[in-house]
């Protein structure tokens, strides 16, 4: 397997291009334009890994020289589900490699009193229960949003879900492993830990602010 390590259900990318690009993503001197481009590129490279097990079927084709049997992806239906808002930064990179995927959106905020995630927006492909879903969020920090988003998707019938984040930390991985042991987690990089404010260390700061130039 390709990961730095591949525990069952956790795949951490081990590719020089991904490591290189994540270094510049983390660097605070990288501006919003370059940051956005790098997030998109890493998402595209991760799409390559996430789709590794897609089933193939044989087809017969004619090359300019002869007839031959070859393979194409056998009609697996995919859905890409960005968690708003930072997940939006990964959509185009994923779609570059999986252009036929449908895109659904989930928006969550944390209730200031209960601290529980509350869904404020959800628009999904109608046949969500038939699709293999790829939930995307650049940061797997506490895991609270990803956990809630996956629960919402399961409540709507989704059965086959993967989670893809550019940076993660052990706390977030543990949350998803505990609550959703069936979900494969793909990380571009596994960072050290969370700080007291729920930010990943060393991290990259606030992914949404850096993508959209807010703050
Ligand atoms: N969300 C972010 O954008 N950054 C973190 O470090 C954690 C959560």
């Amino acid at each position: 397997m390709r990961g730095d390590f591949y525990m069952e259900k956790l795949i951490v990318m081990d590719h020089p291009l991904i490591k290189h690009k994540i270094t510049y993503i983390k660097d605070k001197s990288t501006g919003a334009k370059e940051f956005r481009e790098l997030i998109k590129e890493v998402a595209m490279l991760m799409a390559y890994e996430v789709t590794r097990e897609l089933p193939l079927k044989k087809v017969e084709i004619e090359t300019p020289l002869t007839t031959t049997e070859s393979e194409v992806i056998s009609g697996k239906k995919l859905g890409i589900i960005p968690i708003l808002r930072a997940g939006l930064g990964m959509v185009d990179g994923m779609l570059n490699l999986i252009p036929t995927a449908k895109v659904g959106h989930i928006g969550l905020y944390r209730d200031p009193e209960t601290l529980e995630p509350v869904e404020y927006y959800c628009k999904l492909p109608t046949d969500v229960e038939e699709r293999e879903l790829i939930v995307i969020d650049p940061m797997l920090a506490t895991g609270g949003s990803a956990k809630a988003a996956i629960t919402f998707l399961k409540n709507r019938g989704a059965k086959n879900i993967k989670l893809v984040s550019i940076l993660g930390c052990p706390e977030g991985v543990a949350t998803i492993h505990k609550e959703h042991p069936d979900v494969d987690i793909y990380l571009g990089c596994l960072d050290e830990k969370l700080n007291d404010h729920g930010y990943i260390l060393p991290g990259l700061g606030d992914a949404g602010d850096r993508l959209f130039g807010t703050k």
Side-chain angles (χ1 to χ4, degrees), residues 129-169:
E129 66 290 341
E130 290 168 27
R131 292 186 178 264
E132 179 166 325
L133 300 181
I134 305 171
V135 175
I136 53 177
D137 188 340
M139 309 302 279
L140 177 60
T142 61
S145 304
K147 176 179 101 171
I150 293 167
T151 302
F152 291 137
L153 291 170
K154 287 182 174 174
N155 289 344
R156 289 168 170 86
K159 295 174 197 77
N160 195 342
I161 303 174
K162 297 182 193 301
L163 172 64
V164 180
S165 293
I166 290 183
L167 281 195
C169 60

Side-chain angles (χ1 to χ4, degrees), residues 139 141 198-200 204-208:
M139 309 302 279
Y199 278 83
I200 295 178
L204 55 73
D206 188 296

